[in-house]
């Protein structure tokens, strides 16, 4: 076989191998995404939808740089390798090109500019403290992370539940969050969010579910032995199902008072969700205040200042 033809065959084999690798990677990633069925990419509420769009937009924008760079990496290594002297032009005196400089400084600058505007806008738009716009009246839920359970207090309905968050669909939910345990992170991937729950502090988060269903809720902050089981069900149902659930919970044989809360707060996991009648509407505030007692002892002055600043 003549030398030239042999080289052409070799190059064809190289390109073919490359295409096979790219194809395998593409299908591998697709299968992985389908198999995992990632909640974040499959939003069930307005907030999660906005977050998903932001992730996808940022991803596509970064591909504007990533795809050409990796294409050039492959093309240059094939074209300018030592065995390919004939094709590659030798230009030892070349030391600059205004066009190329404009491209590789200009495009990243534009991307950073676009990203900063988008990030600024979405940071304000998706501010967890911001209440959602909706003609439907929001419901309030107070969330307390325990070791290793999630307690949900419904102050207006006078009920509480553990490891089950029942909400009506298409209704904004205003959460206030704290912890009576180590720091945890409240996260319902299908609905958005991920906000820290910390003892002695109260944070806020507004979410909405725009469809019915059971969604996975979890703590995304490792907090000890029972952390792996510290999951809850976020159940979005029709308004009438929600009202029925509230009615049934009020008939619960269990009442959440100081004694039963004392049991609940002990480290341990629960096999099944529970519902309680709420005895004390100020329970949430008491839990927050538990960690906010002023330190009067002078020797701990710096400590009390730190606590004040943390408020
Ligand atoms: Cu904090």
């Amino acid at each position: 076989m003549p030398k030239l033809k042999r080289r052409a065959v070799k190059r064809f084999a190289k390109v073919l191998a490359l295409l096979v690798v790219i194809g395998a990677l593409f299908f591998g990633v697709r299968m992985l995404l389908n198999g995992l069925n990632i909640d974040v990419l499959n939003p069930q509420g307005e907030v999660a939808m906005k977050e998903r769009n932001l992730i996808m937009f940022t991803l596509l924008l970064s591909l504007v740089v990533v795809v050409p760079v990796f294409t050039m990496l492959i093309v240059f290594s094939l074209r300018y390798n030592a065995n390919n002297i004939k094709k590659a032009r030798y230009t030892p005196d070349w030391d600059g090109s205004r066009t190329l400089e404009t491209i590789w400084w200009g495009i990243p600058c534009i991307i950073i500019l676009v990203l900063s505007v988008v990030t600024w806008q979405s940071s304000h738009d998706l501010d967890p403290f911001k209440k959602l716009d909706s003609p439907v009246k929001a419901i309030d839920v107070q969330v307390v992370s325990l070791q290793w359970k999630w307690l949900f207090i419904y102050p207006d309905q006078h009920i509480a539940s553990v490891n089950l968050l029942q909400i009506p669909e298409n209704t904004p939910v205003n959460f206030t969050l704290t912890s009576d345990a180590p720091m945890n992170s409240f996260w319902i991937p299908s609905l958005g969010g991920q906000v820290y729950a910390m003892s002695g502090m109260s944070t806020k988060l507004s979410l909405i579910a725009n469809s019915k269903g059971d969604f996975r809720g979890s703590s995304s902050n490792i907090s000890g032995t029972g952390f792996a089981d510290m999951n809850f069900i976020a159940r979005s149902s029709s308004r009438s199902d929600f009202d029925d659930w509230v009615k049934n919970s009020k008939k619960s044989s269990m009442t959440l008072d100081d004694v039963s809360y004392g049991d609940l707060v002990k480290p341990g996991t629960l096999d099944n969700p529970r519902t309680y009648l709420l005895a004390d509407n100020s329970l949430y505030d008491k839990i927050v205040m538990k960690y906010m007692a002023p330190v009067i002892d002078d020797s701990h002055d710096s400590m009390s200042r730190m606590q004040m600043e943390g408020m």
Side-chain angles (χ1 to χ4, degrees), residues 73-143:
L73 177 73
I74 294 161
V75 170
F76 289 177
S77 54
L78 288 177
R79 194 184 175 103
Y80 296 100
N81 71 54
N83 301 323
N84 199 16
I85 286 168
K86 270 183 195 160
K87 193 87 187 273
R89 198 145 44 93
Y90 180 58
T91 50
D93 299 324
W94 184 87
D95 71 345
S97 157
R98 193 153 289 187
T99 317
L100 289 177
E101 293 282 349
T102 311
I103 291 171
W104 63 57
W105 284 103
I107 292 174
C109 281
I110 292 168
I111 289 178
I112 297 294
L113 200 75
V114 172
L115 273 184
S116 53
V117 171
V118 170
T119 306
W120 176 273
Q121 278 176 344
S122 52
S123 301
H124 286 88
D125 189 31
L126 293 168
D127 178 1
F129 276 66
K130 205 180 99 176
K131 289 188 174 154
L132 295 170
D133 253 345
S134 169
V136 185
K137 192 177 171 284
I139 64 163
D140 289 322
V141 180
Q142 297 165 334
V143 182

Side-chain angles (χ1 to χ4, degrees), residues 22-75:
I22 292 173
L25 271 176
F26 180 74
F27 283 107
V29 169
R30 264 195 66 169
M31 267 170 66
L32 202 71
L33 287 179
N34 284 345
L36 291 175
N37 194 11
I38 298 169
D39 289 343
V40 170
L41 300 179
N42 190 17
Q44 303 295 325
E46 183 191 317
V47 177
M49 179 72 87
K50 283 180 181 168
E51 288 175 353
R52 199 271 316 260
N53 293 347
L54 182 64
I55 292 172
M56 294 315 281
F57 178 77
T58 316
L59 184 75
L60 291 178
L61 205 60
S62 2
L63 286 181
V64 171
V65 169
V66 171
V67 170
V69 165
F70 278 88
T71 311
M72 280 190 283
L73 177 73
I74 294 161
V75 170

